[in-house]
Amino acid sequence: MGGVLRQDDRIHRTRSERQDTEGGGHRIHGPGSADRASDARRGLEQGLVAGRLQRVAVLDAFGMVVEDMAESIRFYSLLGLDFPADAAGEGHAEAELGGGLRLMLDTIEVVKSFSEWEPASGGHRIGLAFRCQSPSTVDETYAEIVRAGYRSSVEPFDAFWGQRYATVLDPDGNPVDLYATL
């Protein structure tokens, strides 16, 4: 499954790593970065990072309410997310996003079992964007998703802001952007 960069396949930089305060340079990290991210999260949870008081709450996951778990897993698997093999039949499923973040999917039935949840009206619930390896990968990934039976929202185009861009809709109608730098 080509197309979308998986977290473990890319080298990425965080804002704090883009500028080294001692040398004005930058550090790029790859393998082992999750350990540093976990250490930083633990520091935030404890309230201190580098001797400064920080937020105590840390973003850990994104949650989405889905109508059909199997279809949602099939869609997001086309974008490179890995869910447990038996998750399609469950009411809750999670995929690691890298950097310690997770995407959590819950069926309507599960969410209604503990809350008075009602679907959003007048728009989508969430929008996601997936960075692709190249402009041609945007086109290939878009075509693969549409061939798999999912809806297109915006066909691939060269945007004035310097990216190849396209939008598809997940099974619940949420927009999912695909992009790469031109």
Side-chain angles (χ1 to χ4, degrees):
M1 190 172 349
V4 177
L5 289 172
R6 292 177 184 250
Q7 183 66 28
D8 55 329
D9 293 339
R10 67 177 173 227
I11 296 175
H12 61 284
R13 296 184 305 173
T14 64
R15 178 178 289 162
S16 64
E17 290 172 320
R18 286 187 193 130
Q19 193 149 50
D20 181 359
T21 56
E22 296 175 5
H26 65 273
R27 297 170 294 196
I28 298 176
H29 69 279
S33 62
D35 294 334
R36 288 192 296 280
S38 294
D39 291 344
R41 270 195 312 285
R42 278 192 294 280
L44 284 173
E45 290 163 0
Q46 295 169 0
L48 291 174
V49 172
R52 296 186 322 205
L53 186 59
Q54 299 290 322
R55 296 178 292 172
V56 176
V58 177
L59 180 62
D60 181 63
F62 294 94
M64 294 175 60
V65 178
V66 301
E67 191 166 322
D68 184 327
M69 181 65 75
E71 270 304 297
S72 294
I73 288 174
R74 188 169 86 89
F75 176 85
Y76 286 104
S77 293
L78 289 170
L79 291 165
L81 298 185
D82 292 320
F83 291 89
D86 60 348
E90 299 294 326
H92 175 85
E94 297 183 10
E96 292 291 326
L97 299 176
L101 288 174
R102 298 170 291 137
L103 176 63
M104 301 184 307
L105 304 178
D106 288 292
T107 62
I108 293 170
E109 295 78 23
V110 166
V111 173
K112 283 189 169 188
S113 74
F114 63 85
S115 74
E116 296 181 22
W117 181 87
E118 292 294 327
S121 62
H124 53 272
R125 297 175 184 141
I126 189 171
L128 300 175
F130 285 78
R131 180 178 46 169
C132 296
Q133 295 170 335
S134 67
S136 64
T137 304
V138 170
D139 296 353
E140 293 162 7
T141 304
Y142 170 88
E144 179 181 8
I145 290 170
V146 171
R147 269 194 315 272
Y150 298 102
R151 293 181 293 159
S152 165
S153 177
V154 178
E155 291 184 9
F157 71 102
D158 292 338
F160 70 87
W161 56 84
Q163 292 177 331
R164 184 72 175 166
Y165 219 87
T167 304
V168 293
L169 300 177
D170 79 1
D172 292 294
N174 298 307
V176 176
D177 298 334
L178 308 170
Y179 72 94
T181 302
L182 289 172

